[in-house]
Amino acid sequence: MSVLRPLDKQPGLNTATILLVGTEDALLQQLADAMLKEDCASELKIHLARSLPLPSDVNRPRIDLIMFVVNLHSKYSLQNVEESLRHVDATFFLGKVGFLAMGAGQESHCSIHRNTVTKLANTYRSPVFFCDLEESQVTRFFRGQAPAHTTDANRTRLSPWPVPDTCPPGP
Amino acid sequence: MDETVAEFFKRTILKIPMTEMMTILKAWDFLSEKQLQNVNFQQRKESLVQDLVLLCEKRASVHDAALLDIVYTQFHRHRKVWDVFQMSKGPGEDIDLFDMEQFKSSFKKILQRALKNVMVSFRDAEENAVWIRIAWGTQYRKPNQYKPVYVVYYSQTPYAFTSSCPLRSNIPLLGQALTVASNHHKIVKMDLRSRYLDSLKAIVFKQYNQTFETYNSTTPLQEKSLELDIHMDSRIIHENRIEKERVQRVTQETFGDYSQPRLEFAQYKLETKFKSDFNGDILAERKEPLRCLIKFSSPHLLEALKSLAPAGIADAPLSPLLTCIPNKGMNYFKIKDK
């Protein structure tokens, strides 16, 4: 059983590797594109995976951060994340895992309650971010809270993560 | 011309959008080129309609108005919801030579014998099809021109498409008229319904899985892989490429490369006993089947189903209940326990 461990490899020189796990490839791709557009102190690489475990025959660098992406409109995506979480070593959850919950802005399409994801994140002692992707490639992040009215006035900036040697995800 | 007929003309012409006015009038082929040239099509619609009605007044009858209505419906077929009927010949019956004129007169006679006031109009179309417009009346009332039923019958096939009939009681009569006039024995309503007549045709005549001859089958594959390359930043690595390719392959096997026929919904009526993993579940103890209706709606249902697995919203392969729709020619299902 291949389990992801945070420190089983040497870190790359001046590189950071982020793993995005989620069922909807288009979402992950958009997120990755947006992240790569931002400035980063290290060289950033983003791995996109549908689910864990990852194929074992591949030589990949050490993963510094895992973001599990849940689409609140799809129970299937939550199921997938819950199953993937089993393949992550417990030590990863010491600050190297986060949850992204997408689609809270469209309340009528949500089949998963926001609290379900919040509870999941709390169980794994990891933060959860609620966000929506927009056409203009501007992603708005609201830490820990779902946006009620997504006007510019309510937008809060994401504070940087206290994780050494990696750069924070997103703007 | 009768006031009611003039009103019928006016309302029919008013329905036509200005951009299509010339095309539809030409297709109607009642007003001559010269007459059409003398009409000012740049004026406001109300005045244009008045001018046209005046032109028609001299020699047009209610049948000509009905023909115009057929032409309008042919251009706007998606405004009606179409049902599909399938006819069959009795066992051992020979395939007779089809005579369109005989069919038309026979069809008309059957309806007129049963209902005193009914108006039937015919317009031939391509592929040996005939568009039939029926305006229903009663013994004491003239036909209601504003709630007609349309039937499109493809004479070389046992299939007929009908627009939904507001007067349900007339449907058996309509079926009977079709069957007898076309020398068939039995008629059955298929569990297939959609606004898109051409898609229904494609499904029923099994024409949906034909790729165009001029389309080179190797080029789409090349384009697909190119697309992946352009979008792939070398800093983005896809871990589950093999799985993605499997999903693409399975989707292509199920749905093919061609564009899907267009349906708006699929409806599943379940009458099955409740199955539960938990022991002692109250619902599982019921002897009667649980009734449940599931409806999938979409502007283009089959394309949406096709994109489910590649988008990561569902597992591939999809349930055969969903993928069998064009094959079986059904979008209404009744599911019972075996």
Side-chain angles (χ1 to χ4, degrees), chain B residues 1 4-13 15 28 30 56 59-73 119 121 133 145-146 150:
Chain B
M1 191 160 59
T4 51
V5 179
E7 181 65 21
F8 179 31
F9 259 109
K10 186 172 141 207
R11 286 214 227 168
T12 311
I13 301 174
K15 274 197 291 191
W28 183 35
F30 178 79
C56 298
R59 53 184 187 100
S61 69
V62 68
H63 294 280
D64 299 304
L67 273 175
L68 179 62
D69 201 15
I70 298 182
V71 175
Y72 170 79
T73 309
M119 191 177 101
S121 320
R133 180 183 183 277
Q145 300 294 346
Y146 302 104
Y150 289 90

Side-chain angles (χ1 to χ4, degrees), chain B residues 77-128:
Chain B
R77 42 188 83 177
H78 57 276
R79 287 190 195 275
K80 306 261 177 212
V81 179
W82 301 91
D83 285 313
V84 188
F85 285 86
Q86 183 178 19
M87 296 183 278
S88 50
K89 296 215 187 252
E93 271 182 34
D94 289 330
I95 299 171
D96 309 321
L97 283 172
F98 183 80
D99 183 343
M100 185 58 91
E101 296 311 310
Q102 195 229 336
F103 165 79
K104 287 182 191 174
S105 80
S106 177
F107 183 83
K108 204 167 179 173
K109 264 198 216 137
I110 296 170
L111 286 181
Q112 282 172 338
R113 246 184 256 149
L115 294 170
K116 192 166 152 228
N117 277 317
V118 62
M119 191 177 101
V120 184
S121 320
F122 299 96
R123 186 163 197 263
D124 291 333
E126 69 290 327
E127 291 177 55
N128 290 307

Side-chain angles (χ1 to χ4, degrees), chain A residues 19 23-25 29 32-33 36 44-51 54-55 58 60 74 76, chain B residues 231-240 242-244 247 309-316:
Chain A
L19 175 65
T23 47
E24 288 174 43
D25 196 56
Q29 182 79 52
D33 287 335
L36 286 172
L44 183 61
K45 276 198 164 48
I46 305 180
H47 287 238
L48 307 180
R50 200 179 165 280
S51 59
L54 297 174
V58 176
R60 68 176 68 81
S74 159
Y76 181 65
Chain B
H231 289 297
M232 270 208 315
D233 192 326
S234 61
R235 295 172 292 174
I236 300 178
I237 296 105
H238 291 259
E239 290 284 348
N240 299 106
I242 296 173
E243 175 64 15
K244 273 213 295 192
V247 166
I313 303 173
D315 273 329

